[in-house]
């Protein structure tokens, strides 16, 4: 089982960024835990602050990998291009968010990813990623 986690803009600042919303753990620390927890999964991680690079990565892995776990961060609420990329590839995509975006500002209630994702997991903190991996295993 080969899974790719793709994180969008500002998620490189996890641990430092708004800790009351996103927690104190860096993604690198959490990713190391995930790898230990799921030794049977070939787990990779990519982060970019640039929309086109996220699209590029979706295209690159989207015909070979068993799953993509995507937190498009702010681009979730704006990117027709990322939505189109998900539609274009064959690998199923699970949309994840650390926070419960529906409890937050109204502009975060819209997602260009949800209509084309296999499923959506949000609001469980970093555990949202863990749950997404589990969904591919079950
Ligand atoms: C986020 C929620 C988005 O609204 C926000 O822009 C992010 C992170 C989350 O994981 O909770 O950067 O995707």
């Amino acid at each position: 089982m080969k899974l790719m986690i793709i994180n969008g803009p500002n998620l490189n600042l996890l641990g430092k960024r708004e800790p009351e919303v996103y927690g104190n753990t860096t993604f690198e620390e959490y990713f190391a835990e995930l790898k230990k927890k799921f030794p049977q999964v070939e787990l990779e991680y990519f982060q970019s602050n640039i929309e086109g690079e996220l699209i590029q990565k979706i295209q690159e892995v989207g015909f070979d990998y068993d799953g993509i776990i995507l937190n498009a961060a702010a681009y979730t609420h704006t990117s027709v291009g990322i939505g189109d990329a998900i539609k274009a590839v064959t690998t199923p995509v699970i949309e994840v968010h650390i926070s419960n975006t529906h409890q937050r500002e109204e502009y975060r209630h819209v997602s260009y990813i949800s209509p084309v994702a296999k499923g959506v997991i949000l609001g469980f903190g970093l555990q949202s990623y863990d749950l997404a991996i589990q969904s591919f295993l079950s």
Side-chain angles (χ1 to χ4, degrees):
M1 169 78 55
K2 213 168 167 179
L3 301 179
M4 169 66 75
I5 296 176
I6 301 179
N7 273 345
N10 302 307
L11 293 173
N12 54 314
L13 295 182
L14 284 179
K16 284 190 207 153
R17 168 194 187 200
E18 299 178 81
E20 64 291 352
V21 180
Y22 299 112
N24 296 299
T25 309
T26 69
F27 198 79
E28 287 67 24
E29 286 163 350
Y30 179 65
F31 186 64
E33 273 176 41
L34 279 181
K35 288 191 88 142
K36 269 192 225 149
K37 184 163 179 189
F38 298 103
Q40 72 278 40
V41 178
E42 272 184 69
L43 201 54
E44 288 177 40
Y45 162 55
F46 175 79
Q47 189 278 331
S48 177
N49 294 322
I50 300 165
E51 186 176 10
E53 288 186 0
L54 298 170
I55 293 171
Q56 200 75 38
K57 187 52 81 177
I58 292 166
Q59 291 185 5
E60 199 180 299
V61 302
F63 294 92
D64 302 319
Y65 283 51
D66 300 299
I68 296 173
I69 294 161
L70 173 64
N71 186 347
Y75 290 136
T76 304
H77 318 299
T78 61
S79 180
V80 175
I82 294 178
D84 282 352
I86 295 168
K87 264 197 258 175
V89 299
T90 51
T91 298
V93 175
I94 305 274
E95 173 184 359
V96 302
H97 298 285
I98 297 163
S99 63
N100 181 345
T101 47
H102 296 289
Q103 287 174 346
R104 302 181 65 194
E105 300 91 335
E106 214 160 294
Y107 61 82
R108 294 186 205 275
H109 300 180
V110 173
S111 170
Y112 285 81
I113 313 297
S114 301
V116 289
K118 183 178 176 204
V120 184
I121 300 170
L122 55 88
F124 293 95
L126 283 172
Q127 212 200 335
S128 297
Y129 293 88
D130 186 320
L131 296 169
I133 295 170
Q134 285 183 41
S135 79
F136 281 112
L137 294 176
S138 55

